[in-house]
């Protein structure tokens, strides 16, 4: 049965022996010795349920489990809440690794980049596939730092469920709100895990209350802690009225006992569990009509008689409907509470077939997949992560990229294990795959089996949607929603060590851009220098470090600068004419337009309107050229050369000589637009950041005094256990080097987070200072 079993371990990085061990290889080999012919296993990727002992499953059932048994989940949280540690424990208890990794020791599975291990943070998301009690789980560990928000965004796009990890002593923090909003946008069911219950200051009730107040979510308490902080030793399972106690002498947390709560031995815990279970049943009954009918009918007299399975099924439905979130607790670092979390993932989070995707009805059984991440490997080229929504992927399969309108061939198919991968013969719908050989596919591209299948799906979509749809909309509806890429807020120049190395630098930046769409690279038109645009100081620092380590280039970065914007304060009109004769052709265009500030705030794209006097025939032929000219003029403002935003353009007059090229029309509109911007009253807009500083009471006054010097405005000061949380706004330009200053002021005890809020107008004095500094006057 297993004669065709071929599992290859592929390792493309030199990693420590502790990084990923041969999971249960010895046990699997011992089980397989009785089978002829002997199967050669370089490395087993999991202690697969059913593979050991007499019940040997075929490779197909291992690689392609039933879709109802698949869970695609992500781990998301604020920085330092314990995402990577929780992931590490999950991998250990599922049998994927044989030793416990630690973030501080730099030997975790999912933080495999050198920069991640040095800094102790997650920079890029890592995917791992493992099995738990007959379920296939595709898990993605995401970053918590705001500079890498795009990593979270593009991973949530393809997940069916998520685990939100909280620091039990801090509750909901700044970045927690950000990732929660991202999950709301993609309508992803969630489970909450209150981590660090062993930490000094941990409070279960405080953390639950912060979820209720700050996230506006309804927490369903499925567990209660037994003790808090130093006294934390286990949890109470509210659904089954049992206590789970971990053996204090066990090093790895595998040994724990599950005991029913009895009146004789645990009267206090039993009362708490009974009250919590009754409250849980009432909560779920309020949210689920089917469960309410069951409770009011058969079990209205005594909730204790309600079977746990009925309650679990109802909680699953409520979680899927996103009307409430199950809450569990534990301590990943102390190896407590992770196994029940794994059970909750398989019990309460949805399988791929329980999530509804409108586009699937048009593809039927044809291949439809979304490329959501690209990695560059020196040996194998681009590795593309894909979520398969329908159909099947196999090696040597030719696929069609709808976004790029090109056909490519998948040379190899892999199951993702952080930076180690297992080669497989096929993968079906609901899974996450890693493909080799796609040279032109980028993040957000939709992959189908062929162009004809895409056209057939378009016809079905058109038929379904009726004739009201325009000719463009069918194609757009076939494209799976890509990833919204945030605008960069920092930029700096980057130079190679010599002119001869410029092509190597261009290649490195091209590869890094394909991996990370939030990194923008542009050429300065005045100086000819290459400019790096990123999401923050850390983001640009990591890119610089990666160019040095992965591509062997010693590059030089210019001073970090803030990405300002410009706008106008009054309405202005301008007229311009272009009259050129090229060869025997005369190109003549006359344009009159008006530029004015928009009433809407933060409109990055100009609003374009046309006067009634302009005929439809002229617009039909030249609309694209006009809009290209306006957009190109808005890329560089008259003050700093920064993009212009919050402007509305009205085209009043357009006279075009027959035979005039669209390039000349664009050039004339662009020049007229620049003339209008120069004559208007101009204003510089600077990025304003949401700031949250967590500080002890003793250092609060020093932090507030420093913020006042940085043009910061404090909105409120919250109390979080023994700490104070300063919430406010500060201009991005004033945050350069803030982490070092804050550490000095508070003896290293304070932490802070920054997130872009909006762009606000600079006051005249600050604007004048900035312009003088840029022009070299001071």
């Amino acid at each position: 049965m297993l004669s065709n079993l071929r599992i290859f371990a592929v390792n493309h990085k030199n990693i420590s022996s502790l990084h990923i061990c041969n999971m249960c290889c010895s046990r699997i080999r011992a089980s397989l010795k009785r089978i002829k012919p002997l199967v050669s296993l370089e490395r087993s990727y999991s202690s697969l349920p059913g593979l050991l002992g007499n019940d040997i499953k075929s490779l197909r059932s291992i690689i392609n489990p039933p879709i109802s048994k698949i869970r695609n989940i992500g781990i998301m949280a604020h920085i330092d809440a314990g995402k990577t540690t929780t992931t590490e424990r999950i991998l250990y208890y599922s049998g994927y690794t044989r030793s416990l990794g630690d973030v501080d020791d730099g030997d975790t599975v999912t933080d495999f980049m050198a920069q991640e291990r040095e800094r102790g943070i997650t920079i890029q998301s890592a995917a791992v596939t493992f099995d738990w009690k007959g379920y296939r789980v595709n898990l993605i560990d995401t970053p918590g730092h705001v500079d890498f928000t795009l990593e979270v965004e593009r991973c949530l796009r393809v997940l069916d469920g998520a685990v939100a990890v909280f620091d039990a002593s801090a509750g909901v923090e700044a970045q927690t709100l950000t990732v929660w909003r991202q999950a709301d946008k993609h309508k992803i069911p969630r489970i909450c895990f209150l981590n660090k219950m062993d930490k000094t200051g941990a409070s279960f009730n405080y953390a639950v209350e912060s979820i209720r107040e700050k996230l506006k979510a309804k927490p369903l308490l499925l567990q209660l802690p037994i003790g808090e902080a130093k006294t934390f030793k286990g949890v109470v399972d509210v659904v089954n009225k049992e206590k789970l106690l971990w053996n204090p002498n066990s090093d790895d947390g595998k040994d724990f006992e599950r005991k029913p709560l009895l009146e004789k031995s645990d009267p206090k815990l039993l009362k708490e569990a009974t009250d919590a279970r009754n409250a849980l049943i009432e909560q779920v009954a309020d949210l689920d009509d089917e469960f309410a009918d069951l409770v009011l009918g058969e079990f209205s007299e005594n909730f204790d008689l309600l079977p746990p399975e009925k309650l679990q099924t109802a909680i699953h439905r409520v979680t899927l409907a996103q009307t409430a979130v199950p809450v569990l607790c534990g301590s990943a670092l102390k190896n407590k509470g992770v196994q029940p979390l794994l059970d909750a993932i398989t019990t309460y989070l949805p399988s791929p077939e329980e999530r509804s995707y409108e586009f699937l009805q048009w593809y039927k059984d044809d291949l439809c997949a979304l490329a959501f991440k690209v990695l560059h490997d020196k040996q194998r080229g681009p590795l593309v992560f894909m979520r398969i929504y329908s159909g099947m992927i196999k090696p040597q399969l030719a696929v069609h990229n709808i976004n790029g309108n090109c056909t490519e061939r998948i040379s190899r198919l892999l199951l993702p294990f952080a930076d180690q991968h297992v080669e497989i013969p096929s993968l079906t719908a609901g899974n996450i795959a890693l493909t080799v050989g796609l040279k032109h596919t980028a993040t957000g591209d939709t992959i189908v089996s062929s162009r004809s299948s895409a056209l057939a799906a378009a016809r079905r979509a058109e038929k379904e949607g009726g004739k009201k749809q325009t000719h463009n909309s069918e194609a757009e509806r076939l494209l799976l929603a890509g990833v919204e890429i945030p605008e960069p807020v920092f930029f700096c120049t980057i130079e190679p060590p010599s002119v001869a190395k410029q092509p190597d630098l261009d290649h490195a930046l091209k590869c890094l851009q394909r991996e990370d769409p939030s990194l923008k690279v542009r050429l300065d038109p005045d100086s000819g220098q290459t400019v790096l645009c990123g999401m923050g100081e850390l983001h640009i620092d990591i890119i610089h470090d990666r160019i040095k380590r992965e591509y062997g280039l010693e590059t030089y970065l210019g001073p970090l600068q803030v990405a300002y914007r410009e706008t106008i304060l009054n309405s202005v009109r301008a007229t311009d004419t272009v009259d050129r004769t090229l060869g025997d052709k005369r190109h003549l265009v006359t344009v009159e337009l008006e530029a004015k500030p928009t009433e809407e705030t933060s409109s990055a794209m100009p609003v374009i309107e046309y006067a009634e006097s302009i005929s439809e025939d002229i617009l039909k032929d030249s609309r694209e050229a006009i809009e290209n000219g306006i957009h190109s003029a808005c890329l560089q403002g008259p003050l700093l050369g920064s993009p212009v935003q919050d402007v509305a353009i009205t085209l009043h007059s357009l006279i075009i000589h027959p035979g005039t090229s669209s390039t000349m029309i664009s050039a004339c509109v662009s020049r007229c637009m620049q003339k209008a911007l120069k004559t208007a009253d101009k204003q510089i807009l600077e990025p304003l950041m949401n700031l949250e500083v967590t500080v002890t009471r003793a250092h609060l006054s020093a932090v507030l005094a420093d913020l006042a010097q940085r043009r910061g405005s404090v909105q409120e000061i919250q109390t979080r256990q023994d700490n104070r949380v300063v919430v406010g706004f500060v201009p991005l330009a004033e945050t350069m080097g803030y982490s070092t200053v804050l550490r000095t002021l508070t003896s290293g005890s304070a932490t802070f987070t920054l997130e872009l809020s909006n762009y606000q107008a600079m006051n005249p004095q600050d604007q004048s200072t900035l312009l003088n500094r840029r022009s070299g006057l001071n």
Side-chain angles (χ1 to χ4, degrees), residues 200-226:
T200 304
S203 169
F204 182 78
N205 292 334
Y206 170 79
V208 170
E209 202 53 42
S210 73
I211 291 171
R212 187 178 284 115
E213 285 181 11
K214 293 183 180 178
L215 301 179
K216 308 297 182 219
K218 292 181 181 174
L220 301 175
L221 305 188
L222 306 190
Q223 291 179 349
L224 300 173
I226 302 175

Side-chain angles (χ1 to χ4, degrees), residues 137-171:
V137 182
N138 297 309
L139 180 146
I140 296 180
D141 177 26
T142 62
H145 200 284
V146 71
D147 282 20
F148 310 108
T149 298
L150 180 72
E151 277 293 317
V152 184
E153 175 77 22
R154 64 178 171 182
C155 292
L156 287 178
R157 172 69 188 79
V158 297
L159 297 175
D160 300 316
V163 177
V165 180
F166 299 79
D167 181 335
S169 66

Side-chain angles (χ1 to χ4, degrees), residues 99 121 142 228 300 386 418 433 470 666 725 749:
S99 64
I121 61 169
T142 62
E228 286 180 348
S300 56
M386 271 193 210
T470 64
S666 280
V725 180
S749 63

Side-chain angles (χ1 to χ4, degrees), residues 82-139:
K83 296 178 299 300
T84 301
T85 305
T86 304
T87 304
E88 199 63 32
R89 300 310 184 258
I90 284 173
L91 297 180
Y92 180 71
Y93 298 131
S94 65
Y96 171 61
T97 55
R98 239 179 12 192
S99 64
L100 286 169
D102 194 285
V103 173
D104 295 335
D105 295 341
D107 59 359
T108 59
V109 172
T110 52
D111 282 358
F112 53 81
M113 284 172 63
Q115 294 88 343
E116 292 177 315
R117 296 188 160 192
E118 287 169 7
R119 289 170 167 83
I121 61 169
T122 302
I123 291 168
Q124 64 176 24
S125 50
V128 185
T129 300
F130 63 89
D131 295 271
W132 177 256
K133 297 184 178 177
Y135 286 85
R136 162 63 44 80
V137 182
N138 297 309
L139 180 146

Side-chain angles (χ1 to χ4, degrees), residues 96-391:
Y96 171 61
T97 55
R98 239 179 12 192
S99 64
L100 286 169
D102 194 285
V103 173
D104 295 335
D105 295 341
D107 59 359
T108 59
V109 172
T110 52
D111 282 358
F112 53 81
M113 284 172 63
Q115 294 88 343
E116 292 177 315
R117 296 188 160 192
E118 287 169 7
R119 289 170 167 83
I121 61 169
T122 302
I123 291 168
Q124 64 176 24
S125 50
V128 185
T129 300
F130 63 89
D131 295 271
W132 177 256
K133 297 184 178 177
Y135 286 85
R136 162 63 44 80
V137 182
N138 297 309
L139 180 146
I140 296 180
D141 177 26
T142 62
H145 200 284
V146 71
D147 282 20
F148 310 108
T149 298
L150 180 72
E151 277 293 317
V152 184
E153 175 77 22
R154 64 178 171 182
C155 292
L156 287 178
R157 172 69 188 79
V158 297
L159 297 175
D160 300 316
V163 177
V165 180
F166 299 79
D167 181 335
S169 66
V172 174
E173 297 175 89
Q175 191 65 7
T176 318
L177 281 163
T178 304
V179 295
W180 196 268
R181 283 196 300 268
Q182 288 174 303
D184 279 340
K185 185 169 79 176
H186 295 295
K187 298 184 171 64
I188 293 175
R190 275 143 277 175
I191 284 176
C192 297
F193 181 60
L194 305 184
N195 191 25
K196 303 192 178 184
M197 283 302 303
D198 62 309
K199 187 178 172 182
T200 304
S203 169
F204 182 78
N205 292 334
Y206 170 79
V208 170
E209 202 53 42
S210 73
I211 291 171
R212 187 178 284 115
E213 285 181 11
K214 293 183 180 178
L215 301 179
K216 308 297 182 219
K218 292 181 181 174
L220 301 175
L221 305 188
L222 306 190
Q223 291 179 349
L224 300 173
I226 302 175
E228 286 180 348
K230 289 181 181 177
T231 61
F232 178 69
K233 57 182 179 180
V235 297
V236 171
D237 181 343
V238 172
V239 175
N240 294 292
K241 288 211 287 191
E242 294 175 334
K243 63 177 180 179
L244 283 68
L245 295 174
W246 274 260
N247 184 349
N249 300 321
S250 171
D251 290 334
D252 60 5
K254 272 193 174 177
D255 298 334
F256 70 96
E257 52 183 355
R258 185 186 283 270
K259 289 181 177 177
L261 290 169
L262 303 171
E263 182 69 47
K264 197 182 291 181
S265 55
D266 303 292
K268 190 180 174 188
L269 271 183
L270 179 62
K271 185 178 185 313
E272 284 180 20
T274 304
D275 292 345
R277 191 174 192 264
N278 291 345
L280 177 65
I281 290 169
E282 289 173 8
Q283 252 185 308
V284 176
D286 284 342
L287 300 168
D288 187 84
D289 293 340
E290 187 183 330
F291 184 68
D293 293 341
L294 178 73
V295 171
L296 293 172
E298 296 178 49
F299 306 104
S300 56
E301 298 296 320
N302 189 355
F303 285 172
D304 289 345
L305 299 176
L306 180 73
E309 296 78 24
K310 300 278 188 189
L311 180 54
Q312 286 174 338
T313 305
I315 294 169
H316 175 79
R317 284 197 301 268
V318 167
T319 307
L320 189 58
Q322 295 161 64
T323 48
V325 285
V327 176
L328 297 93
C329 61
S331 168
L333 188 65
K334 293 296 193 299
N335 313 315
K336 294 182 174 84
V338 178
Q339 295 96 326
L341 174 63
L342 271 166
D343 291 335
I345 286 168
T346 56
T347 306
Y348 303 121
L349 290 179
S351 68
E353 64 184 356
E354 290 176 297
R355 300 270 284 149
S356 60
Y357 299 104
E358 187 191 4
F359 55 84
L360 284 185
Q361 61 186 318
W362 304 321
Y363 283 101
K364 304 213 167 170
D365 294 327
D366 284 341
L367 172 67
C368 176
L370 178 71
F372 67 94
K373 185 176 168 66
V374 180
L375 287 177
H376 272 272
D377 181 74
K378 286 180 181 175
Q379 279 76 38
R380 291 173 290 188
L383 306 176
V384 180
F385 283 86
M386 271 193 210
R387 163 69 194 270
I388 310 168
Y389 287 98
S390 66

Side-chain angles (χ1 to χ4, degrees), residues 464-476:
E464 185 77 24
K467 302 298 176 189
K468 291 179 287 184
Q469 306 294 332
T470 64
H471 70 284
N472 285 327
S473 65
E474 285 102 42
E476 286 166 9

Side-chain angles (χ1 to χ4, degrees), residues 147 487-492 520 531-540 560-564 687 689 732-737 754 759:
D147 282 20
E487 283 299 311
V489 291
F490 274 117
F491 68 92
C492 66
K520 303 280 174 67
V531 180
L532 271 188
C533 309
M535 301 304 298
E537 286 183 89
L538 179 63
H539 187 204
I540 287 178
L560 212 56
Q561 298 185 56
V562 174
Y564 292 100
M689 309 299 284
L732 179 62
E734 303 292 340
T735 64
M736 301 279 194
L754 285 170
Y759 278 81

